[in-house]
Amino acid sequence: MKFSANLGFLWADRPLPEAIRAAKSAGFDAVECHWPYDTPAQEVRAALRETGLEMLGLNTARGDLAAGDNGLSALPGREPEARAAIDEALTYASEIGARNLHVMAGFAAGPAAQRAFVDNLAYACQEAADAGITILIEPLNRYDAPGYFLTTTVQADEVIRAVGAPNLKLMFDCYHVQLMEGDLSRRLEALQAQIGHIQFASVPDRGAPDHGEVNYAHVFQVIERLGFPMPLGAEYKPAGATEDSLGWLTALR
Ligand SMILES: O=C(O)[C@@H](O)C(=O)CO
Ligand SMILES: [Mg+2]
């Protein structure tokens, strides 16, 4: 199996280009990140070229962090900001050759939020299509992100159908899905056509995948059997130094 290091959590204490090099040295096949915007895109591109790693994806900016924003695209009345964040992210993604963009919904609820999300995603998909970029939406669990608009794969499936764009896919983060819905094996199989990227972490502590209530040896076998072609995103919070958390990866090599 192939694995992508999520540099929002792994080597998060290092500047992004150094984190990319560390992921290469540790044996990862790809990288992904959260919000790379403080690092000039050419520095990221240079590190990717040097290591030969692909940046699989990044997130749209969350908005006004001091005001508690966690994404903008499902916030009625804030469409101009949401679309500016989408434009910014697509420009950055194109500059570093990233294939996926996670468009973050934000804290909202109700029909107006649903309409705003669908409309903003339609805009994102249209703008992304020419660059060959896939737009992802990710349900987040209610404990880490209470009040977030998108919380389940069932809801994400409805949104994907409402937008109806071929380049809109589901980010299936096993950690969030286990906390909200469980039944990982069946859900991966049922949703395989909609899934654009898969992430994982132990549950419930969001650590390395070698402990906790989910048996990842089994989940990885399911994913392999389904023939999912892309590296899986290791998006967990190491308990100490990232290098000391990689026994699971070594064991699989
Ligand atoms: O699971 C997560 O938290 C991330 O994948 C993310 O992009 C948003 O916080
Ligand atoms: Mg995730």
Side-chain angles (χ1 to χ4, degrees):
M1 299 219 72
K2 293 194 168 162
F3 294 98
S4 161
N6 188 300
L7 305 178
F9 289 161
L10 304 190
W11 296 286
D13 53 334
R14 304 196 189 178
L16 198 45
E18 276 183 40
I20 292 169
R21 292 185 191 103
K24 174 71 179 177
S25 303
F28 280 97
D29 306 289
V31 288
E32 58 195 63
C33 61
H34 287 159
W35 301 281
Y37 304 106
D38 289 343
T39 309
Q42 62 267 29
E43 290 181 24
V44 173
R45 198 171 55 222
L48 293 172
R49 197 168 289 155
E50 178 194 315
T51 55
L53 295 183
E54 181 181 347
M55 180 71 79
L56 292 183
L58 64 155
N59 296 351
T60 49
R62 284 169 290 183
D64 184 347
L65 293 183
D69 287 342
N70 193 28
L72 298 162
S73 283
L75 306 191
R78 293 184 65 183
E79 287 80 359
E81 281 172 86
R83 292 181 188 207
I86 289 165
D87 293 344
E88 171 194 46
L90 286 174
T91 301
Y92 199 102
S94 297
E95 284 173 2
I96 63 170
R99 67 170 68 209
N100 296 319
L101 170 62
H102 168 203
V103 171
M104 294 198 63
F107 297 123
Q114 168 85 5
R115 273 194 301 278
F117 198 35
V118 168
D119 288 352
N120 284 324
L121 287 170
Y123 171 82
C125 291
Q126 196 177 344
E127 295 298 305
D130 282 349
I133 293 173
T134 297
I135 300 297
L136 300 178
I137 55 173
E138 180 182 28
L140 302 184
N141 77 75
R142 72 161 80 87
Y143 311 104
D144 294 346
Y148 194 73
F149 177 72
L150 190 65
T151 55
T152 66
T153 59
V154 173
Q155 190 191 357
D157 187 41
E158 280 168 20
V159 170
I160 289 169
R161 286 172 200 274
V163 176
N167 61 335
L168 179 59
K169 298 276 183 189
L170 169 67
M171 171 109 83
F172 190 109
D173 186 330
C174 299
Y175 163 75
H176 294 297
V177 177
Q178 171 68 6
L179 284 168
M180 293 301 293
E181 302 170 281
D183 202 8
L184 292 177
S185 305
R186 282 199 188 85
R187 239 173 252 290
L188 283 161
E189 182 154 14
L191 292 167
Q192 58 183 303
Q194 280 101 316
I195 295 176
H197 187 50
I198 298 173
Q199 298 174 324
F200 59 90
S202 66
V203 181
D205 68 358
R206 210 173 198 184
D210 51 11
H211 64 275
E213 73 192 42
V214 176
N215 175 6
Y216 276 106
H218 171 79
V219 173
F220 293 160
Q221 270 172 21
V222 170
I223 294 168
E224 197 156 40
R225 178 171 55 74
L226 293 174
F228 187 74
M230 298 307 300
L232 311 182
E235 191 186 38
Y236 67 85
K237 298 178 179 174
T242 298
E243 273 81 3
D244 298 338
S245 75
L246 297 174
W248 65 272
L249 181 62
T250 318
L252 287 169
R253 292 298 191 215

